[in-house]
């Protein structure tokens, strides 16, 4: 056998007998790396603890959201013009959300009211009229209250108005026998030029326009603007013009139509 053949034979045997150290190291437990399971695999391995924690987190989120104070939107608003002008915002159950003053006398009236938030609208009206009488805004010589209900929901508006009108005789009997609580018009008339005046003033303005519609040749807007709501109501009822215009209340100071 030649030397070259002997060398090739030795090399072949050597390649077969040399250990694969890299493979042996990988197979040795000391050097094996543990594969970290995925989140999905871990959930499958321990479903109960994971879903319990998830449910608990959802409950916490729900409690947090439900305990955040939510502003309740008014379903309707009642406007009362005595001479104090006030706005009463109501929820869908006719409960008071807020009472707002629309003029200085309205602020003075609200200061003497009990806390009416959450009370029924009829309870609030009775309280307001009683306080207005006590403060001298209403009496037998000045018994007029204008009111109107505004709402984007026509059925809700009509329902609140009907409840108020049905209760007026009882309120009058208890508070002021000659109480003249009449529905005004707190919205602009179709022939009006749109303008930004609050609903209490709008009711006075429309009351003046009602007189002008009845007596177009007897009065001017400027003359009627000096009259109180009481005097305007007397003209509409046919009691004649007042002898001393404006004596039962301040001029309305509202823009002409």
């Amino acid at each position: 056998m030649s030397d070259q053949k002997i060398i090739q034979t030795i090399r072949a045997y050597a390649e077969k007998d040399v250990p694969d150290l890299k493979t042996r190291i990988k197979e040795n437990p000391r050097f094996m790396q543990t594969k970290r399971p995925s989140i999905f695999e871990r959930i499958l391995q321990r479903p109960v603890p994971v879903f319990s924690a998830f449910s608990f987190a959802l409950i916490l989120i729900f409690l947090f959201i439900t305990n955040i104070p939510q502003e309740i939107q008014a379903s309707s608003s009642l406007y009362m013009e005595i001479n104090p002008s006030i706005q009463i915002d109501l929820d869908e159950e006719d409960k008071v959300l807020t009472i707002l003053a629309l003029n200085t006398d309205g602020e003075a009236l609200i200061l003497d009211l009990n806390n009416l938030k959450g009370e029924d609208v009829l309870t609030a009206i009775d309280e307001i009229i009683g306080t207005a009488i006590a403060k001298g805004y209403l009496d037998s010589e000045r018994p007029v209250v204008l009111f109107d209900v505004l709402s984007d929901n026509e059925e809700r508006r009509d329902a609140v108005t009907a409840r108020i009108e049905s209760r007026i005789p009882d309120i009058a009997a208890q508070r002021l026998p000659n109480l003249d609580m009449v529905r005004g018009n707190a919205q602009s008339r179709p022939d009006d030029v749109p303008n930004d005046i609050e609903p209490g003033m709008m009711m006075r303005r429309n009351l003046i326009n009602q007189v002008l519609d009845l007596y177009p040749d007897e009065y001017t807007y400027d003359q009627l603007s000096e009259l109180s709501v009481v005097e305007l109501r007397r003209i509409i009822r046919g009691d004649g013009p007042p002898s001393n215009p404006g004596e039962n209340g301040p001029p309305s100071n509202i823009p002409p139509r």
Side-chain angles (χ1 to χ4, degrees):
M1 181 180 295
S2 65
D3 292 342
Q4 184 66 30
K5 187 69 173 178
I6 293 172
I7 292 172
Q8 291 178 348
T9 302
I10 293 173
R11 181 177 295 172
Y13 280 112
E15 289 177 352
K16 291 181 180 179
D17 293 339
V18 173
D20 187 349
L21 296 179
K22 185 176 181 180
T23 301
R24 290 184 181 182
I25 290 172
K26 289 182 178 179
E27 292 175 351
N28 193 321
R30 293 172 54 194
F31 301 103
M32 290 182 66
Q33 294 183 354
T34 304
K35 182 182 178 183
R36 183 177 179 82
S38 66
I39 293 177
F40 181 72
E41 290 172 335
R42 278 180 279 168
I43 290 175
L44 291 179
Q45 292 171 1
R46 301 180 63 191
V48 174
V50 172
F51 281 106
S52 297
F54 182 69
S55 301
F56 181 70
L58 286 179
I59 292 172
L60 288 179
I61 294 172
F62 175 77
L63 291 175
F64 176 77
I65 293 175
T66 55
N67 281 280
I68 295 177
Q70 301 292 323
E71 182 178 353
I72 302 176
Q73 298 296 321
S75 175
S76 59
S77 294
L78 165 65
Y79 296 90
M80 295 179 67
E81 175 66 24
I82 298 177
N83 167 44
S85 296
I86 58 176
Q87 172 183 334
I88 307 172
D89 290 334
L90 307 171
D91 64 16
E92 293 184 352
E93 297 180 348
D94 301 343
K95 305 293 185 183
V96 175
L97 294 174
T98 56
I99 298 181
L100 305 173
L102 301 180
N103 62 5
T104 303
D105 286 333
E107 293 174 357
L109 178 65
I110 287 177
L111 286 176
D112 284 356
L113 291 177
N114 294 320
N115 182 11
L116 296 174
K117 185 174 182 179
E119 296 288 349
D120 184 75
V121 61
L122 299 180
T123 301
I125 290 174
D126 186 63
E127 172 80 12
I128 290 168
I129 289 178
T131 303
I133 293 172
K135 292 182 69 68
Y137 293 117
L138 281 173
D139 55 35
S140 59
E141 295 297 321
R142 294 175 294 179
V144 179
V145 177
L146 292 179
F147 79 92
D148 197 10
V149 178
L150 299 184
S151 175
D152 293 334
N153 186 323
E154 187 174 340
E155 291 183 0
R156 180 102 297 275
R157 180 198 66 198
D158 293 343
V160 177
T161 302
R163 287 194 66 204
I164 294 173
E165 290 177 336
S166 67
R167 183 63 183 273
I168 290 174
D170 293 335
I171 295 176
Q174 296 174 11
R175 299 290 188 178
L176 194 64
N178 65 334
L179 178 67
D180 186 13
M181 189 169 176
V182 60
R183 184 177 181 184
N185 181 7
Q187 302 185 77
S188 297
R189 302 191 334 171
D191 58 341
D192 280 342
V193 177
N195 51 62
D196 297 328
I197 61 176
E198 55 92 359
M201 283 291 190
M202 184 64 75
M203 285 193 285
R204 283 174 173 262
R205 184 172 186 264
N206 287 332
L207 195 62
I208 292 173
N209 290 333
Q210 185 178 348
V211 175
L212 290 175
D213 290 340
L214 292 172
Y215 306 102
D217 300 325
E218 285 83 352
Y219 302 100
T220 66
Y221 191 96
D222 289 340
Q223 288 175 326
L224 295 176
S225 66
E226 296 296 323
L227 304 183
S228 68
V229 171
V230 175
E231 293 165 330
L232 293 171
R233 284 288 296 163
R234 286 174 179 169
I235 295 175
I236 291 173
R237 289 198 305 262
D239 296 340
S243 55
N244 296 306
E247 66 177 357
N248 290 319
S252 54
N253 294 323
I254 54 179
R257 64 175 176 180

